[in-house]
Amino acid sequence: MTEWGPYDFRYPHIHLTDIKDSIYTFVVFGPAGSEWNIEQSRGFKSMSLQQGNYQDTLIAFRQLNTAEISINAVHKGSFFFDHTGNFIPANDSFKFTFKRLEPFENWITKCYPFDDHFPTENILQGKVDHLNLVQTYTSNRLHRDWWSLQYEKDGQKQKTNSFISVSQGEVEIEPGNYNLELYLSGRSRVYLNDRIVYDGSESEQSKPFLIPVELLHKNNKIVIVSANKAGIASIHCRLLLR
Amino acid sequence: MRILKYLFILSGLPGFLAAQDRPFITLKSGMTIESGAFVNPREYLCHDSIWNTITITGENFTLDFSGATLWGAADTVSPDQYKGLAFIIKDAKNIRINNLRIHRFHTAIYIENSDGIYLNNCDFSYNYRPKLYSYREHEILSDWLSYHNNESQQWKSHGAAIYAKNLKNSTFESLRITGGFNGILLDKSNGNKVFNSAINFNSGVGIGLYRSSNNIIQHNRLDYNVRGVSHNFYRRGQDSAGVLMFEQCNKNTVAYNSITHSGDGIFLWAGQQTMDQGSGGSNENMFYANDCSYAPTNGIEVTFSKNYIIGNKLNKCIHGVWGGYSYGSLIAENQFYDNKVGIAIEHGFNNNLINNSFSNNEKAIRLWKNENTIDVPWNAFNMKNVKQNEVYSVWSNTFESDKIAIELLNGKNFDIQYNIFKKTPQILYTEKVNNCKLTFKQNITDSISEQSLSRSQKRKNTSIPEFISILDEQTKRLIPPKMVGDLMSAFQCIHGMAYLLSS
């Protein structure tokens, strides 16, 4: 799959198949009988191939001190149609890229049952000490879906559709300009380094959206407060290259 | 012989002369075409200025576009920004359209209130497609599709290569639709044919039907109409499908298609009307000799309806067939290999599972019922239908190397006869079937033990399975593996024929 749907194996494409520790395995797909070569890469110490044929497996060894990884390659060989139906003639120097941002992140998400009232300003500021903490999750990426919040109380399984979640993340990345991709259900507010960067509700955003951000320091703090009533709830936040 | 040759040449003359009468036209924004023509086969860059939809209407003519290509957007525009409708065909009858190419529009062709439209050798690839937000490690729920309601033509806003409403007796042949969202969407359209077309690598549905009946979908490539899949991370499908039939679609035939790697291969739902009123459904559709393998979810999903699933390949899916609330259906002569579950049916009744071949599935057949179904949204369907005697006939199937051949949970009436079990560690697994009528006889196996016919592991030691006592002598007899192999084909053949004759 690509962001535009199923990949049809006809145009050049670098596909990440596996990550094991710092070893990344890719397959370079493209029109049969043609070749590719790598012009530039970032975030890798070394690679098993610098050029090859399509369907070749490329193994790359990650350099751990950079968040951005990228591979820029050039196609050499037969004609093809790209993903928009554009005809690329044979031997045209067509460039294709793999890009991914992998900042060092640590997230802790805490959940509190909450009645059906609209969240107060205090709650949207993450002041939830008066609420009953029932569930805590830690992760190195923030992506979580709920089909109602389930927890245990006095040895009994409980579930509720109305709850507040407060996610706090430490994000380590090179200073620069990025996009913050968010997908949040319910009524939510997002703070980046104690500054509000999003304050809205699900009805305004039915799909993930981007907020351009400038990060001035290597260490950053993101806090997301979200109040949900519908049972089905999502929190998703990641930094993307701009 | 020479006379025959001249006659053959002369027979083509009227058509040739008629073709010479057709004018040669160049397409213009917003024009209406009401008679036959050859179209200037150039590339029309419709995005260079304001482009209004071209209308085709009238009767009894042929439009040969000769390869004319309409581009709705520049190559710098991303696919989720494609806009506009290239052609509308309305109030038309017996019109033939050949050799047309339309790309980068929101919808290539919209057809309304028409009869006998013939689209041949056209390419409607690379039209609108929404961006997908799910990524390698996680799916994003906003990528899920919903085709459940089209009463107000909601599907039209999704974008498609062809959207047809009130279209009948029409034929779509040799079309190519790839790199888009939806291929062909038929709304209240009956008696149409789609064949010899390649509708693949789209991110929604290949062919979608809504309140559409008596259509034939045959000999098409409908592979990779899919989204929501990431190898080793998630296999959701997000309600994408090769063929989708929602809301009172009856007596359609889907045969001889390759529908591999699509979200569901075929996805059928009775419809909201059935959920609300308990009646109707998408019934008596025939799914014959399709390859619906490699679906990330279900090879064929059919729910709340009565259908015929015969001779299909359903391999390497999560469920070969998901048949929730199916009734009176025939699932026969299909091949199920390496699925999580071959046939999974919850709350079904009067279904016949005959002469199928199962191998290497985690569970070949799983039939079950939940105890409490009062609070479900489809309770109207339950109230009307579940009182019936829930008979399942599982006859003349072969099972080989499936971990569990047949799992029964909480049903009423199972008739399991004439099946062959080979290298199957557990032939029958049952739970909560104390009050059920279970007929298990005339089956053959290469090995049998109490373990292979055990009830739930939890209950095994508390009561002796009742059905052991109704096993007949023939079933209990150990038969050497070689003999089973020899018997298998003959056995299947005899009982398959017997079934067909009796029905």
Side-chain angles (χ1 to χ4, degrees), chain A residues 31-196:
Chain A
S34 302
E35 295 175 349
W36 52 268
N37 68 284
I38 294 172
E39 274 196 338
Q40 198 182 26
S41 67
R42 194 161 180 213
F44 294 107
K45 283 186 281 194
S46 62
M47 296 204 178
S48 63
L49 296 169
Q50 284 299 314
Q51 58 187 36
N53 300 309
Y54 288 111
Q55 328 299 337
D56 280 353
T57 297
L58 169 67
I59 294 169
F61 299 88
R62 182 86 162 84
Q63 202 170 21
L64 292 174
N65 57 357
T66 57
E68 180 189 339
I69 56 170
S70 62
I71 300 169
N72 298 324
V74 182
H75 161 81
K76 291 187 295 184
S78 70
F79 73 90
F80 62 88
F81 291 87
D82 73 5
H83 72 286
T84 65
N86 207 27
F87 177 71
I88 310 296
N91 299 316
D92 210 38
S93 154
F94 180 87
K95 295 186 177 184
F96 59 107
T97 301
F98 172 88
K99 267 187 186 176
R100 189 175 150 104
L101 197 61
E102 296 179 339
F104 178 79
E105 296 176 41
N106 258 323
W107 288 91
I108 181 160
T109 299
K110 295 179 176 178
C111 295
Y112 310 83
F114 180 66
D115 64 24
D116 274 346
H117 302 302
F118 197 78
T120 60
E121 177 59 29
N122 270 352
I123 284 177
L124 288 170
Q125 287 177 12
K127 294 170 185 166
V128 289
D129 291 344
H130 61 290
L131 298 177
N132 181 25
L133 173 66
V134 296
Q135 195 69 271
T136 304
Y137 313 92
T138 56
S139 56
N140 56 10
R141 293 282 180 266
L142 183 59
H143 181 101
R144 196 161 290 281
D145 299 314
W146 290 270
W147 280 261
S148 75
L149 174 68
Q150 299 188 18
Y151 58 96
E152 274 197 21
K153 188 181 176 187
D154 305 329
Q156 299 286 312
K157 284 186 179 171
Q158 308 279 329
K159 70 176 184 179
T160 177
N161 288 341
S162 296
F163 64 99
I164 300 280
S165 69
V166 180
S167 303
Q168 183 166 325
E170 293 164 359
V171 180
E172 198 179 306
I173 193 168
E174 295 91 337
N177 292 314
Y178 298 94
N179 280 319
L180 193 61
E181 185 185 72
L182 297 167
Y183 180 56
L184 305 165
S185 53
R187 172 76 175 91
S188 304
R189 184 177 285 177
V190 180
Y191 296 86
L192 171 63
N193 296 327
D194 299 323
R195 190 171 59 86
I196 296 173

